[in-house]
């Protein structure tokens, strides 16, 4: 399967393919964390010069649609019931000092202290990965999209999730009668909007919502002989006010070990009251009622015996049972495995290390990092544990991505090597000495450029 992936990856590199393929191999074969691109040309896996490396990133081409299809056809992690669990999240490639790089946005970055968040210019990337069950730092990346200045984040995410689900269905990963694909997201996503847009697909969505939200109960039954327009919404349920909480429909208690007992309480058929704002501003006609299941998760303590605040989740499914509620909150907690993947890419594989000017070159480098990580995932059971003397032995089949990468070089001789041998050549003369560059690069502003066709003020005017 690993050789099949490498052959499929090489077929997706339609221009400067040999240089791009060897660059991905150099990322896997480097002895330590990737600090800079040019140092990768010193590895044995990269047989070309540094000019070919930058030429491949700046002038190469990757058939991204074909590569996405290749990734969707690979074996994916599944949960005990055979379900595929996907996670979506955004990670920024910060480029605060790159004034000549186009399509940068202000990316939200958390600080070390409370209320120390910052907005730093960079390229935000939206990733979709398949999650594994249990304590692990492995994920299976399936797609990435860079959010540009003219992008509507919710619309782009919805289109991205739809494309991933359709590719999985087309690749035979999901068949009629199988459990629905579960998609988990954090609080930064409008989970009810995503549930409405993706309602025609066999997917369930679970997302965290803010603890100050107010949801509506189902409309009460209409009594005989009642006049007037029937109500659309029932009473309010304020997440911060326990006095407004009705009797829950499902309650479960699970022993988590490290965090003590986890109490999950669920209320069925709750929905937000939508208004013509934000993503619903351009919605024509009456706003829909999107019912789902509200879940309150409370654990006894966090590591260090700290009190844990409750976590509120909303699922697009209704009529949930106890096992359904447990699966939803356990799947949401596994979403944090994606943070380990981001950390491994940035600190070990050097995803955000290159100082690339062109955003499209950054896209190519990002796809190469995904291809390298996927090769490590397929090599989990094929590599030996070359642990350091101070490291603990890892159980068979439970090596971390960094330890699999450490032994990947010994496996490389036994797998496919589709890249061609480089041809001898001479470097170009470059700019003559003493002649400066008289064509300065263009400088770009940072921020969004999207504009709506109509605004909230237009709707409030007569005839709006």
């Amino acid at each position: 399967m690993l050789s099949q992936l490498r052959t499929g990856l090489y077929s997706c590199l339609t221009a400067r393919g040999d240089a791009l393929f060897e660059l991905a191999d150099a990322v896997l074969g480097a002895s330590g964390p990737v600090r800079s691109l040019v140092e990768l040309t010193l590895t044995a896996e990269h047989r070309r010069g540094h000019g070919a490396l930058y030429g491949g990133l700046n002038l190469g081409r990757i058939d991204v649609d074909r590569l996405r299809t290749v990734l969707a056809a690979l074996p994916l992690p599944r949960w005990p019931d055979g379900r595929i669990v996907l996670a979506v999240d955004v990670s920024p490639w910060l480029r605060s000092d790159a004034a000549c790089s186009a399509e940068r946005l202000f990316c939200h970055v958390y600080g070390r202290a409370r209320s120390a968040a910052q907005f730093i210019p960079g390229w935000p990337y939206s990733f979709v990965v398949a999650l594994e069950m249990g304590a692990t730092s492995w994920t299976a990346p399936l797609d990435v999209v860079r959010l540009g200045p003219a992008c509507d984040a919710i619309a782009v995410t919805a289109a991205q999730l739809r494309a991933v689900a359709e590719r999985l269905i087309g690749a035979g990963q999901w068949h009629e009668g199988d459990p629905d694909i579960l998609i988990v997201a954090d609080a930064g996503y409008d989970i009810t909007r995503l549930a409405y847009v993706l309602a025609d697909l066999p997917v369930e969505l679970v997302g965290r919502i803010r603890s100050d939200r107010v949801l509506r109960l189902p409309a009460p039954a209409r009594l005989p002989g009642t006049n007037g327009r029937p109500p659309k919404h029932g009473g309010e349920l304020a997440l911060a006010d326990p006095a407004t909480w009705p009797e829950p429909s499902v309650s479960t208690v699970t022993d988590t070990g490290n965090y003590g007992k986890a109490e999950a309480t669920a209320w069925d058929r709750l929905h937000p009251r939508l208004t013509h704002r934000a993503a619903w501003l351009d919605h024509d006609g009456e706003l829909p009622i999107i019912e789902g299941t509200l879940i309150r998760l409370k654990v006894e303590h966090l590591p260090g015996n700290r009190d844990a605040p409750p976590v509120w989740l909303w699922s697009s499914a209704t009529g949930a049972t106890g096992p359904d509620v447990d699966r939803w909150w356990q799947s949401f907690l596994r979403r944090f495995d994606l943070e380990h993947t981001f950390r491994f890419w940035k600190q070990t594989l050097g995803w955000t290390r290159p100082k690339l000017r062109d955003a499209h070159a950054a896209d190519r480098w990002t796809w190469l990092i995904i291809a390298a990580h996927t090769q490590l995932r397929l090599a989990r059971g094929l590599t030996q544990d070359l642990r350091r003397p101070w490291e603990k032995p890892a159980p068979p089949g439970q090596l971390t991505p960094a330890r699999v990468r450490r032994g990947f070089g010994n496996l490389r001789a036994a797998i496919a090597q589709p890249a061609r041998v480089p041809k001898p050549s001479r470097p170009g003369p470059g700019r003559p000495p003493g002649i400066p560059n008289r064509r300065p690069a263009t400088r770009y502003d940072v921020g969004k450029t999207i504009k709506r066709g109509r605004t909230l003020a237009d709707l409030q005017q007569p005839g709006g």
Side-chain angles (χ1 to χ4, degrees), residues 98 269 366:
R269 295 184 59 196
T366 302

Side-chain angles (χ1 to χ4, degrees), residues 123-437:
W123 292 313
Y125 283 87
S126 174
F127 294 90
V128 176
V129 304
L131 301 177
E132 296 187 7
M133 188 174 185
T136 178
S137 58
W138 287 97
T139 61
L142 296 174
D143 191 32
V144 61
V145 173
R146 177 171 49 84
L147 303 178
C151 292
D152 185 341
I154 294 298
V156 171
T157 303
Q160 184 183 18
L161 292 174
R162 175 177 294 277
V164 170
E166 292 176 348
R167 281 194 298 270
L168 293 178
I169 296 174
Q173 302 280 10
W174 186 91
H175 301 88
E176 192 71 30
D178 291 348
D180 289 346
I181 300 172
L182 183 61
I183 301 175
V184 295
D186 206 0
Y189 292 90
D190 188 348
I191 194 68
T192 54
R193 173 69 178 180
L194 292 177
Y196 174 78
V197 175
L198 304 177
D200 59 324
L201 294 175
V203 298
E204 297 176 3
L205 288 97
V206 175
R208 183 164 66 97
I209 60 177
R210 293 168 50 121
S211 59
D212 58 353
R213 292 284 300 272
V214 176
L215 300 182
R216 291 301 188 103
L217 298 169
R222 188 174 178 83
L223 298 177
T226 304
N227 297 326
R229 182 178 180 180
K232 294 177 55 179
H233 312 283
E236 293 185 346
L237 188 152
L239 275 59
D241 185 5
T244 62
W245 302 351
E247 189 69 20
S249 55
V250 177
S251 296
T252 64
V253 178
T254 306
D255 188 4
T256 62
N258 294 335
Y259 309 108
K261 293 183 180 180
E263 300 179 2
T265 308
W267 292 268
D268 193 24
R269 295 184 59 196
L270 266 75
H271 62 274
R273 183 170 183 174
L274 304 178
T275 59
H276 282 92
R277 295 176 181 269
W280 302 97
L281 182 61
D282 297 328
H283 184 85
D284 295 329
E286 191 174 5
L287 291 173
I289 296 178
I290 308 172
E291 292 185 335
T293 302
L294 177 66
I295 305 166
R296 180 182 185 268
L297 176 64
K298 183 71 169 66
V299 298
E300 286 185 336
H301 58 81
L302 293 176
N305 295 325
R306 294 182 299 164
D307 292 336
V311 176
W312 292 92
L313 306 175
W314 187 88
S315 170
S316 61
T318 57
T321 61
D324 294 331
V325 173
D326 289 339
R327 181 178 63 251
W328 289 337
W329 69 259
Q330 291 172 6
S331 300
F332 175 78
L333 295 184
R334 292 266 60 86
R335 188 204 68 83
F336 293 95
D337 295 340
L338 186 52
E339 304 296 335
H340 295 289
T341 299
F342 292 153
R343 180 179 180 181
F344 174 67
W345 288 355
K346 292 182 178 181
Q347 295 186 358
T348 304
L349 300 187
W351 171 41
T352 58
R353 284 286 181 175
K355 304 300 182 181
L356 300 175
R357 175 182 296 178
D358 188 7
H360 300 289
D363 296 343
R364 299 184 192 100
W365 174 245
T366 302
W367 277 108
L368 292 183
I369 294 296
I370 291 179
H373 185 271
T374 305
Q375 294 183 59
L376 294 178
R377 181 173 66 88
L378 297 181
R380 289 170 65 179
L382 304 177
T383 56
Q384 297 181 351
D385 185 14
L386 304 179
R387 67 183 183 91
R388 302 289 190 255
W390 55 85
E391 295 176 339
K392 296 181 179 180
Q398 296 187 15
L399 297 179
T400 62
R403 290 168 80 158
V404 172
R405 175 176 177 257
R406 194 180 299 165
F408 191 85
N410 297 334
L411 179 66
R412 185 172 178 272
I415 54 181
Q417 304 292 335
R420 296 169 294 183
V421 177
K423 299 179 181 179
S425 61
R426 293 183 178 180
R431 185 183 300 120
I435 299 180
N437 182 13

Side-chain angles (χ1 to χ4, degrees), residues 61-83:
R61 287 196 300 271
I62 301 178
D63 190 343
V64 174
D65 293 336
R66 186 173 182 178
L67 182 53
R68 287 169 172 153
T69 303
V70 171
L71 295 177
L74 297 174
L76 296 179
R78 295 178 181 268
W79 288 50
D81 59 352
R83 186 186 308 269

